[in-house]
Amino acid sequence: MAIFNYVIKIIISVCSIIGYKGESLAAPLLVTCLKKMEYRGYDSVGIGTINDGKVSVRKGVGRVEDVDSNLLLRVLPGRIGIGHTRWATHGKVTEKNAHPHTSCNGEIAVVHNGIIQNYSELKSKLMRKGHIFRSETDSEVIAHLLEEDYVSSGDLRGAVLNTAKKLTGAFSFIAAFSDGTIAGARFDEPLIVGISNDGYYISSDVIGFLNYTDRAIFLDNRDIVILKGSEMEMISFDGAPVMRPVTQVAWEFGGIDKGTYAHYTIKEINEQVETIFKSGKGQEDKIEQVSELLKSAPFVYFTGSGTSYHCALVAKALLSKYGRRKSDAIMSSEFQYLVNDIEPDPVIVAISQSGETADVLEVVKKAKPLGSKIISIVNVPTSSLARLSDISISMNCGPEIGVAATKSFTSQLTILYAIIDRLSGGVIGLENQRTKLQNAVKELVEGQKLIEQIANEIKNAKDIYVLGRSIHYPIALEGALKIKELSYVHAEGIPAGELKHGPLALIDKNSCVLVLNPNDSTFDDVKANAHEIKARGASLIGIGSSPSDVYDRFIAIPEVDEVLLPILEVIPFQVIAYYLALEKNANPDYPRNLAKSVTVK
Ligand code: AGP
């Protein structure tokens, strides 16, 4: 128990690591693999290969493509190698801090994902023994620890074991040795072995090697894999052999091409015409099981981070209105501190596109031993969250590469609608309306021209406010999140009814306000709020089905049953945020300072 408590307190980071050993040249393969994984973190990149008993490393700051064209990563010789894309946590974004890091004798190169909590203590000890450190990272200690042990014992396997056991925190690392051995170790960060016809991959993400093989072994915590000669050995941190099954991974996870689109983000926004239609289909059994569980649960908690948390807020409102069940929606970064005080025997519905978000995992890891049932809704069925869950439903919306969640949000929402519809005896009537919903999504994504114009008109706004009431308030939050992360404009979602309780003080002729004004019970109250804003001279954009003079611009939401409106209302915000990013010359796929999977607490 002491160990468990310790493990869940760690902080982890967001990089990608990959290793290859086989018959093909390693460097060009690794460059391709890293490009696939770049969406997870992307401030610097590096590759190390082994050839004729010599370790060669090239690394630099920037995107894989740029570093490769400047430094010619792909020409490094050898059929054995490791690679890394970095999203800085310890140490600035510099060439020196980029991975791989090497031992003093240059015979061991290491790539690492995670955070080594005890690195400064280990570093001091190693420095006292004469090791010279060349970076500011925590990761570099791994190379020196391996060297220290290996040089004195001559036992490579023992050196990997001892090193893994000395590290605290969360990590997965891959080490390449000049004798041609590659070893990987995993503790609280994912590590997966890919088995192809011409060799082995070791990777933090199946997407890395999925172009080459769909046969994967998901290592467990405290597993080590050693590729020596043509043999693969798997052991645990205590040295005992372990057996892990080979899984066939769905090929569709490899389909991450932009096609004819300028950016992944706009491709993924457009894909919603299909993904919303498909969400939950083929998983009716699980939807039934989950709805039964929610029905009988003493209490239900919905949790998630960022966009997934906004989905949790909608789910709570739906469950209360249509399912008449008590529930709460708590953001995972806060929930983790409350887990010991929650209602007994609850069902926790954890929502996460990646299934690797540290905050969400921490809630689940804390709540599970206390008797909570864990349901997850994820887009990566092989993710840590899916594997920790009692039941996991897949969003099945295909890889989402754009850092901003778009199609995953509408997919997770649709699945929750399906569950609550089932639980409430079909009062929502989702299935009868799927085609109508799909046509409405189509109409919205085809109406991008108007939204592009609106984005151009509001591009100089310093602050954007998004207003909504009731079930539309979470969409206001999500709309504001999209705007801030893609365009870097300050945006805030505000419950329209709270306006007079404070935020109205911010409104003047320079403000830009987007108002969710659907034709439901909130209509008149929201319209009254719109008039109050208009009276202060702000520019107003309405989003709903009944245009009004109060709005300078109006984005029409196609007619569907009012319960389904949140699924549609978010789409104009995704499109506005995308075009605002273009207006600001920002790359919508890779917003500054953000990474797709936030495995940092
Ligand atoms: C969404 O646009 C954000 N990039 C972010 O808020 C994201 O939704 C959050 O980090 C949660 O990610 P997850 O769904 O993979 O757990």
Side-chain angles (χ1 to χ4, degrees), residues 287-357:
I287 288 175
E288 165 79 31
Q289 281 172 38
V290 172
S291 73
E292 286 305 317
L293 253 179
L294 298 195
K295 221 187 243 176
S296 56
F299 202 87
V300 177
Y301 291 96
F302 295 100
T303 192
S305 300
T307 294
S308 297
Y309 166 63
H310 299 150
C311 179
L313 289 171
V314 177
K316 173 192 147 79
L318 290 174
L319 187 62
S320 144
K321 180 160 180 181
Y322 298 97
R324 300 272 163 219
R325 310 292 311 158
K326 282 199 269 180
S327 71
D328 205 349
I330 309 180
M331 59 184 74
S332 301
S333 56
E334 291 297 320
F335 197 13
Q336 54 197 272
Y337 306 108
L338 307 172
V339 168
N340 288 331
D341 308 312
I342 59 179
E343 299 287 328
D345 306 318
V347 170
I348 295 184
V349 182
I351 308 164
S352 172
Q353 188 285 132
S354 61
E356 300 294 350
T357 299

Side-chain angles (χ1 to χ4, degrees), residues 42 84 107 129 167 227 243 254 266 357 397 494 499 576:
Y42 38 79
H84 187 269
E107 292 191 5
K129 288 183 175 165
L167 306 174
L227 304 174
M243 296 275 286
I266 196 66
T357 299
C397 61
I494 299 175
L499 205 61
I576 288 176

